[in-house]
Amino acid sequence: MKAVSVESTAIDRIDRKILAVLQEDGRITNTELAARVSLSPTATAERFKRLVREGYILRFSAELNPGKLGLGLLVFVEVKLDRTTPDIFDAFGQAVARAGEVLECHMVAGGFDYLIKARVRDMAAYRAFLSDTVLALPGVRETHTYAVMEDIKDTHVLPISR
């Protein structure tokens, strides 16, 4: 599993503004970005390159509409393992990384070991996903599923203080 690095160099108010604008619109042109952060296009481009190089910006992608793609059911699955040993953790992590329906998987502290976030077509597809994928993952002893009835807030935007 990949941990998020908290080690970083200091960034200033303008870097934070650049990051905030890019989270809202990753397709913004450098010229438009420069105007929004009150810098020259050259200075903005240099800061952008540095933010990518230093790992503040991990990747760019398009946010897709799951309903239009036939993936209307969002589920969260609590997973308890039968053993919590390094070899089981590794095998579980490798197997879950190959499961296309899984959007996120987090090892957590508390009453269960992992929390999986997955998207599937409908409840029938979820049943197949549960039996064919989740229960087949290495070390799985028990699961609890929560089907999402309504999205109240769904964002990837991080709170960046300017």
Side-chain angles (χ1 to χ4, degrees):
M1 299 279 160
K2 181 177 157 186
V4 176
S5 174
V6 292
E7 184 181 324
S8 63
T9 58
I11 59 173
D12 64 15
R13 181 183 56 78
I14 294 172
D15 290 335
R16 291 181 183 283
K17 281 177 76 174
I18 289 169
L19 293 172
V21 170
L22 287 171
Q23 281 192 114
E24 294 169 15
D25 182 4
R27 291 180 50 144
I28 192 170
T29 67
N30 185 61
T31 304
E32 292 172 52
L33 179 59
R36 297 263 312 264
V37 300
S38 304
L39 275 184
S40 72
T42 302
T44 301
E46 288 304 314
R47 282 177 178 259
F48 173 83
K49 287 179 202 170
R50 180 177 48 78
L51 290 167
V52 171
R53 186 176 59 248
E54 292 181 2
Y56 287 94
I57 299 170
L58 299 176
R59 68 183 154 270
F60 290 91
S61 64
E63 187 172 350
L64 306 179
N65 182 331
K68 292 225 179 238
L69 296 169
L71 298 169
L73 182 60
L74 178 63
V75 293
F76 290 87
V77 184
E78 294 177 356
V79 176
K80 286 185 186 178
L81 301 178
D82 57 9
R83 294 183 327 274
T84 53
T85 59
D87 60 319
I88 293 294
F89 288 147
D90 289 344
F92 182 91
Q94 290 172 16
V96 83
R98 292 189 299 269
E101 300 91 342
V102 174
L103 303 177
E104 298 177 22
C105 179
H106 306 276
M107 179 187 281
V108 296
F112 54 96
D113 300 302
Y114 289 97
L115 182 63
I116 293 174
K117 177 181 176 182
R119 275 243 179 232
V120 293
R121 182 180 66 256
D122 54 22
M123 195 54 76
Y126 174 69
R127 280 189 62 159
F129 168 69
L130 179 64
S131 63
D132 299 344
T133 302
V134 176
L135 296 176
L137 292 169
V140 172
R141 178 184 71 195
E142 183 180 329
T143 65
H144 293 277
T145 299
Y146 304 91
V148 174
M149 295 170 44
E150 179 182 2
D151 292 334
I152 305 301
K153 181 176 182 180
D154 181 6
T155 185
H156 64 278
V157 177
L158 298 176
I160 299 176
S161 59
R162 295 181 185 199

